Amino acid sequence: MVHFGKKAAVLTAAGVLAATAVTGCSGSINTDAVVATVGDDEISLGVANFYARMTQGQYETYYASMMGTTGDAMWTQEAGEDQTYEESVKDSLMENLENMYLISQHAADYEVSLTEEEEDAIAEAAAQFDEDNTDEAKETVSGYRKDIEEFLRLATIQTKMDSKMREGVDEEVSDEEAAQKAMQYVFFSYTTTDDSGNTTELTDEEKESLKTDAQSLVDRVNAGEDISTVAEELGQTAYDLTFDSESTSPNEDLIAAVDAFETEGQVTDVIEADDGLYVGRLTSLLDRDATDQKKTSIVEERRQEQYDSLLEEWRNDTDIKVDEKVWDKVDFEDTGVTIITSETEETTTDDGSTDDTSEGSSESADDSSEDASASEDSASE
């Protein structure tokens, strides 16, 4: 079983969970082997394996069930482009590691470095991990001090560089560029849904009746009646929507028709789609709140584009090589990793004294209850 003690908060901040348990078995690997080079920097298999196993644990513990599978079976599933899920995740992990080294190599350009406090916290976290875990567990995840410290160094610098790499973009966005309009629309569906969630398509006669209702809505709203009130009388609902010319939901033809209006209050004709009928009414040529939100989004997009552009530039200027034979030694299918969380909290007893309690711990299938108890005590220290 692998544990991060409660002192390892820096690990959580760096994207590594607070505690892990390892199931399965793994052969010994040479953690000093070079799995990749990024310019003059060498990525050791120990660092790559540690990062991979922590990520693997998150997938197997939290995502496998949502995907309708198990941790053992998920890695052989197809992920598209003739890749298994394991191959896809490992490709992403290696690219992330390469980027972390690239960012570290350019940290001095942005006057970014680790403080003495950060270095001490990293060393303490690695030492706590080393103290709390068995040699077998550390061998499985390459949980040795030098590998953990190197990974946390990279992760901390990456976090500190994030805002620096996004600085300096143009934050001015005009109303014209960000303009968001507003409409109300009514959707007349060609299907009905019962209480059990079963859907039934309307008959041709029912669809014709629905078209009559939709046309009635158009006529009455054009005559000055409120679209929400009329929709409710017809057993329908009027929805509010902000949009621009690039919007596609709920229906592209509806968006295009309302976007073409130049006067607030204009109403579309009945718009027929495969799944039903739409009627829309333009309520605002410039929705202030939605437009301001779009401005914020545009600025964030510019920052992200600058960040991505810098990484792409650095990658193009740097010789990056991966030793696939070494990287193949990290295999998810045969070695499972399950995340557990051990939290120590102080509770008050009936006599007013306080007790420490540990919650959320679990054990691997191969661990005895005695080993689990010892590990939980270790995590609470």
Side-chain angles (χ1 to χ4, degrees):
M1 178 175 290
V2 176
H3 272 276
F4 288 106
K6 64 178 181 178
K7 294 182 180 179
V10 66
L11 290 175
T12 302
V16 182
L17 297 184
T20 64
V22 178
T23 63
C25 57
S26 174
S28 177
I29 63 173
N30 178 10
T31 58
D32 292 326
V34 177
V35 69
T37 56
V38 181
D40 294 332
D41 283 332
E42 295 180 341
I43 303 178
S44 73
L45 183 57
V47 171
N49 188 50
F50 178 76
Y51 178 37
R53 296 305 181 190
M54 297 302 100
T55 303
Q56 177 190 359
Q58 295 180 51
Y59 273 93
E60 293 188 2
T61 304
Y62 301 113
Y63 304 142
S65 60
M66 291 189 292
M67 296 170 61
T69 184
T70 63
D72 294 335
M74 69 181 297
W75 301 114
T76 57
Q77 294 183 359
E78 291 187 6
E81 298 183 0
D82 297 323
Q83 276 192 321
T84 64
Y85 207 70
E86 175 179 328
E87 291 169 338
S88 176
V89 170
K90 284 184 62 181
D91 282 351
S92 296
L93 289 173
M94 181 53 66
E95 183 177 353
N96 290 344
L97 265 180
E98 293 165 358
N99 289 341
M100 292 169 79
Y101 273 93
L102 286 169
I103 290 170
S104 176
Q105 290 168 1
H106 289 83
D109 299 339
Y110 294 82
E111 299 182 345
V112 169
S113 61
L114 296 183
T115 65
E116 183 176 345
E117 290 79 5
E118 289 166 339
E119 291 177 346
D120 289 344
I122 287 172
E124 182 179 355
Q128 187 71 45
F129 185 98
D130 183 65
E131 178 183 342
D132 287 346
N133 293 283
T134 66
D135 290 341
E136 181 181 4
K138 287 182 285 189
E139 181 177 316
T140 301
V141 300
S142 298
Y144 303 110
R145 292 192 187 191
K146 61 182 178 62
D147 299 319
I148 297 174
E149 288 183 2
E150 174 65 359
F151 176 75
L152 291 180
R153 180 190 72 83
L154 293 166
T156 305
I157 289 176
Q158 182 183 45
T159 298
K160 297 179 73 170
M161 281 282 284
D162 186 81
S163 60
K164 297 287 187 180
M165 292 169 63
R166 299 172 190 270
E167 287 179 350
V169 302
D170 182 7
E171 298 186 14
E172 291 297 323
V173 182
S174 66
D175 279 351
E176 182 179 3
E177 181 180 1
Q180 298 293 295
K181 300 178 181 179
M183 74 161 84
Q184 285 182 293
Y185 75 92
V186 179
F187 174 56
F188 298 80
S189 177
Y190 280 161
T191 61
T192 59
T193 304
D194 62 24
D195 294 338
S196 299
N198 301 313
T199 59
T200 303
E201 186 168 356
L202 301 183
T203 65
D204 290 343
E205 290 183 358
E206 289 171 329
K207 290 180 181 179
E208 287 300 319
S209 176
L210 207 62
K211 291 178 183 179
T212 300
D213 286 348
Q215 186 59 54
S216 173
L217 176 70
V218 172
D219 295 339
R220 292 174 64 180
V221 174
N222 275 328
E225 293 189 57
D226 178 69
I227 188 172
S228 297
T229 302
V230 177
E232 186 175 356
E233 290 180 10
L234 295 172
Q236 305 295 333
T237 302
Y239 300 96
D240 294 315
L241 176 72
T242 56
F243 68 99
D244 58 28
S245 60
E246 296 181 356
S247 300
T248 58
S249 179
N251 177 270
E252 291 185 11
D253 291 336
L254 171 68
I255 296 293
V258 181
D259 188 50
F261 291 153
E262 297 180 355
T263 304
E264 294 175 358
Q266 286 184 270
V267 181
T268 67
D269 294 328
V270 177
I271 298 171
E272 186 165 5
D274 292 337
D275 55 350
L277 308 167
Y278 290 90
V279 174
R281 176 179 180 271
L282 179 66
T283 57
S284 176
L285 285 166
L286 182 71
D287 185 283
R288 184 75 268 162
D289 289 342
T291 298
D292 288 344
Q293 290 176 12
K294 184 64 175 180
K295 287 183 177 183
T296 300
S297 175
I298 289 174
V299 172
E300 287 304 315
E301 288 173 3
R302 291 174 181 174
R303 289 172 178 156
Q304 185 63 48
E305 288 172 359
Q306 176 169 287
Y307 183 96
D308 294 341
S309 178
L310 281 170
L311 272 179
E312 183 178 2
E313 177 185 337
W314 296 344
R315 291 185 74 89
N316 290 337
D317 292 342
T318 306
D319 186 24
I320 300 175
K321 296 179 181 178
V322 178
D323 190 327
E324 296 295 347
K325 290 184 179 180
V326 176
W327 190 217
D328 285 343
K329 296 182 183 298
V330 178
D331 183 286
F332 293 164
E333 186 178 353
D334 294 333
T335 303
V337 179
T338 302
I339 299 295
I340 63 171
T341 301
S342 296
E343 296 179 349
T344 301
E345 61 181 23
E346 194 172 65
T347 59
T348 303
T349 62
D350 292 338
D351 61 4
S353 61
T354 59
D355 288 334
D356 283 343
T357 60
S358 181
E359 297 182 347
S361 296
S362 66
E363 60 181 290
S364 69
D366 296 331
D367 287 329
S368 67
S369 59
E370 181 178 351
D371 289 337
S373 176
S375 296
E376 288 174 2
D377 291 340
S378 177
S380 301
E381 292 177 356

